[in-house]
Amino acid sequence: MNWGLIGASTIASEHVIGAIRANGHEIISVLSSDAVRGANYAARHGIARSTTSLDELLGTQGLDAVYISTTNEKHHPQALAAIAAGKHVLCEKPLAMTPAEAAEMVRAAEAAGVVFATNHHLRNAGTHLAIRELIASGRIGRVLSVRVFHAVHLPPHLQGWRINDAAAGGGVIPDITVHDADTVRFCLGEDPVDVVAKAGTSGMGLGVEDSVMSVWSMPSGAMVQAHESFTHRFAGSGIEVHGTEGSIFGRGVMTQKPVGEVELVTVDGRSAVPFGTHDLYARSLGVFAAAVAGEGRPSADGVDGVKSLAVAVAVREAARTGQTVRVNYEG
Ligand code: NDP
């Protein structure tokens, strides 16, 4: 399969270029808004072509699919153009600036008959797959609550638009809350109904929030507590799922790497839960390619991207208004 990169980004450079190649696919061109940066990026990563023209990239001979990892406000127009050109699209989260835009992308892909997916990497982690399986198999009984610990320290090389550019989709809510929404939806198999939240700045955000705490109600009655931040150097990450018959503790698992620990606690005591240590992004790309070949669905499809964005948008609105906000999945 031949890929084009839309965006000369850090995430492509650190994870996705390797994941595409690990699946035996080729990257035949990269789009950058800056000709020199694009050419340097292509040379550094062994990509034959670079261009500043989206039309030229989409017209590249033999192109099958594109991976979109530009800043968030560009995802919507670039995805619509790629879909109109008949390309399969793996788009970064958040899919768009609003759920309505994201839903438009999903509808366009359905109408064009192309595969459209969201790169929510965490649901590809062996840890989260194991947690989801434990919950689905009933090992912890009825889920009472979930606590998500995702307050991290944004490394200096990522402290650009994320911390100071609302128009580019900056802020911790579109950056990390959207991932936590997807991970909770994936592990529990249900979508939040409504949310309350407080957000603010704690040393990094300039005009956008860098920290947020929220509480979500699930249809089953379970409660979810989520904490995301860019400013916590030593907090560590995790997810806990507490049920009537047991608790699951995932430590160090809200991450891009196949690391961490998962522990199950029941009346029988404590036990370490085994999990796969495959690369999260390579799995995401592999499942996407299988979907293109007509086998199964992407690990996070377009609808997942819309729903996880809808939760994040509701959290931001709840923090802004101080009100309980119902999650609007209709877009
Ligand atoms: P970057 O800031 O690295 O890249 C975004 C855009 O910024 C690029 O498309 C590029 O524009 C421009 N850019 C990159 N480097 C420079 C530079 N040195 N000087 C000027 N401009 C530059 O963002 P990320 O890679 O961190 O994030 C991109 C997208 O991926 C976002 O939507 C983000 O939410 C998502 N993401 C997802 C992750 C996941 O695990 N699923 C993890 C990290 C990010 P151009 O292309 O025009 O050259």
Side-chain angles (χ1 to χ4, degrees):
M1 194 155 126
N2 289 328
W3 286 82
L5 302 183
I6 296 183
S9 69
T10 309
I11 176 69
S13 148
E14 292 182 351
H15 293 282
V16 176
I17 290 174
I20 289 172
R21 290 179 173 152
N23 279 282
H25 303 163
E26 300 222 359
I27 301 162
I28 60 176
S29 189
V30 55
L31 176 81
S32 170
S33 58
D34 182 295
V36 173
R37 189 170 60 244
N40 288 340
Y41 192 93
R44 194 161 68 248
H45 294 292
I47 300 168
R49 284 181 217 84
S50 64
T51 176
T52 58
S53 160
L54 181 57
D55 285 345
E56 186 182 319
L57 179 115
L58 294 173
T60 309
Q61 185 75 25
L63 185 75
D64 300 304
V66 297
Y67 167 63
I68 300 177
S69 63
T70 45
T71 46
N72 303 339
E73 87 289 8
K74 294 185 178 152
H75 297 174
H76 172 253
Q78 290 171 333
L80 290 181
I83 291 164
K87 306 304 170 191
H88 305 289
V89 177
L90 176 61
C91 187
E92 268 306 341
K93 47 49 69 172
L95 277 187
M97 299 293 276
T98 65
E101 285 179 351
E104 186 187 356
M105 293 149 76
V106 173
R107 283 194 302 271
E110 278 168 6
V114 297
V115 174
F116 180 74
T118 317
N119 197 32
H120 277 302
H121 63 294
L122 287 168
R123 58 167 72 203
N124 292 284
T127 48
H128 294 291
L129 287 160
I131 291 168
R132 175 185 157 102
E133 181 56 33
L134 280 174
I135 297 167
S137 69
R139 283 299 295 281
I140 63 167
R142 180 169 60 84
V143 173
L144 301 168
S145 64
V146 180
R147 303 175 193 162
V148 185
F149 308 90
H150 207 158
V152 295
H153 189 259
L154 194 64
H157 74 288
L158 296 181
Q159 290 175 22
W161 56 271
R162 274 185 179 77
I163 63 167
N164 63 17
D165 193 346
V172 77
I173 294 173
D175 200 49
I176 306 185
T177 306
V178 73
H179 275 312
D180 293 345
D182 188 69
T183 305
V184 169
R185 292 183 49 253
F186 176 69
C187 289
L188 264 50
E190 56 178 342
D191 302 326
V193 177
D194 60 30
V195 305
V196 294
K198 290 259 187 192
T201 53
S202 55
M204 218 181 261
L206 297 166
V208 294
E209 79 288 330
D210 63 25
S211 291
V212 58
M213 292 186 176
S214 57
V215 176
W216 317 340
S217 306
M218 304 302 280
S220 63
M223 294 175 73
V224 178
Q225 166 192 308
H227 179 201
E228 295 88 21
S229 177
F230 287 153
T231 60
H232 286 48
R233 284 181 195 276
F234 308 109
S237 78
I239 185 168
E240 297 176 359
V241 188
H242 302 289
T244 51
E245 311 300 325
S247 285
I248 302 166
F249 296 85
R251 298 189 188 91
V253 296
M254 308 307 288
T255 172
Q256 297 176 295
K257 299 198 178 117
V259 297
E261 295 166 21
V262 181
E263 188 178 44
L264 174 66
V265 182
T266 67
V267 286
D268 299 326
R270 296 178 173 270
S271 58
V273 176
F275 58 85
T277 54
H278 53 267
D279 183 275
L280 284 60
Y281 296 88
R283 183 178 185 278
S284 173
L285 267 291
V287 176
F288 180 88
V292 168
E295 296 158 25
R297 301 186 58 75
S299 51
D301 63 17
V303 172
D304 289 313
V306 175
K307 288 186 171 181
S308 300
L309 175 58
V311 176
V313 165
V315 166
R316 197 177 243 173
E317 181 67 2
R320 189 182 69 78
T321 60
Q323 304 290 312
T324 300
V325 173
R326 196 171 180 85
V327 183
N328 177 6
Y329 294 107
E330 303 308 317

